[in-house]
Amino acid sequence: CGGTGLYIESLLANYQFSHVPHFLSEPLEIQFKYTVFGLNPSTDTRREKISTRFQARLKEGMLEEVQQLLFDGVHPEELRWMGLEYKWMVNYVEGLITKEEFEKGLETAIHQFAKRQMTYFRKMEKDGFTINWIDGELTTKQQAEIAMQIIGQAQ
């Protein structure tokens, strides 16, 4: 299992995994200087943004995309392997859960996952990785300006 934190840490620490799906058979190696940034909004803002984004993605055809992939021959297990949302969507499309179970369950699961991601990032910091946290309540322009200042200082 994994998530954003594990993916980032696996690249930065050059993890070697004993089993990966066939479509990820080539390891990636980072051989350059890097800077890690994280946005840190308030819990309420994070929850609101997650819910708003989830509803927008449903309206934009997220389920229809999965239906088409299955119709095109992608095996359900390959989609489930791609992550949390795909697992829930495939279960709904295959009739294993109701629409209400899908929508409420996936939204709750995404909120729980986001909380676990923050815990994972705190663990990364304890393990020696520097994460440059930027206030998630700032405008995108302000966040970009802060990131550019940090990058400028790192050079």
Side-chain angles (χ1 to χ4, degrees):
C1 78
T4 304
L6 176 62
Y7 301 145
I8 292 169
E9 187 176 10
S10 70
L11 289 171
L12 301 180
N14 197 25
Y15 286 0
Q16 298 299 314
F17 294 96
S18 61
H19 176 74
V20 295
H22 65 84
F23 52 87
L24 295 175
S25 60
E26 294 296 319
L28 298 173
E29 291 188 29
I30 292 185
Q31 298 177 352
F32 52 86
K33 191 173 180 180
Y34 61 86
T35 303
V36 179
F37 293 96
L39 293 179
N40 195 12
S42 69
T43 301
D44 289 340
T45 297
R46 184 180 67 228
R47 291 186 62 78
E48 179 184 327
K49 286 185 175 191
I50 287 170
S51 293
T52 300
R53 181 172 179 260
F54 176 63
Q55 292 303 319
R57 291 178 67 219
L58 283 174
K59 289 177 186 166
E60 292 167 359
M62 175 167 89
L63 279 169
E64 291 78 3
E65 176 187 336
V66 168
Q67 289 171 322
Q68 187 63 49
L69 289 169
L70 292 169
F71 180 79
D72 290 344
V74 177
H75 194 276
E77 286 309 312
E78 284 187 346
L79 285 178
R80 283 186 180 99
W81 210 96
M82 295 303 293
L84 175 70
E85 293 176 345
Y86 282 99
K87 179 179 87 170
W88 282 85
M89 286 186 286
V90 169
N91 286 346
Y92 171 66
V93 170
E94 290 190 321
L96 301 175
I97 57 175
T98 67
K99 185 168 186 163
E100 183 179 352
E101 289 171 324
F102 160 70
E103 289 184 4
K104 287 184 179 181
L106 178 53
E107 187 170 357
T108 298
I110 294 169
H111 287 290
Q112 292 168 339
F113 188 78
K115 185 177 178 184
R116 286 192 309 272
Q117 283 180 319
M118 295 304 291
T119 300
Y120 196 95
F121 289 128
R122 286 191 297 274
K123 177 199 164 296
M124 283 178 62
E125 288 180 303
K126 287 179 185 174
D127 290 344
F129 291 95
T130 300
I131 299 175
N132 296 279
W133 291 104
I134 299 176
D135 186 345
E137 307 295 325
L138 299 174
T139 67
T140 302
K141 182 178 179 185
Q142 292 170 317
Q143 292 169 349
E145 288 170 354
I146 291 170
M148 294 307 292
Q149 288 173 355
I150 293 169
I151 290 170
Q153 294 169 2
Q155 294 181 3

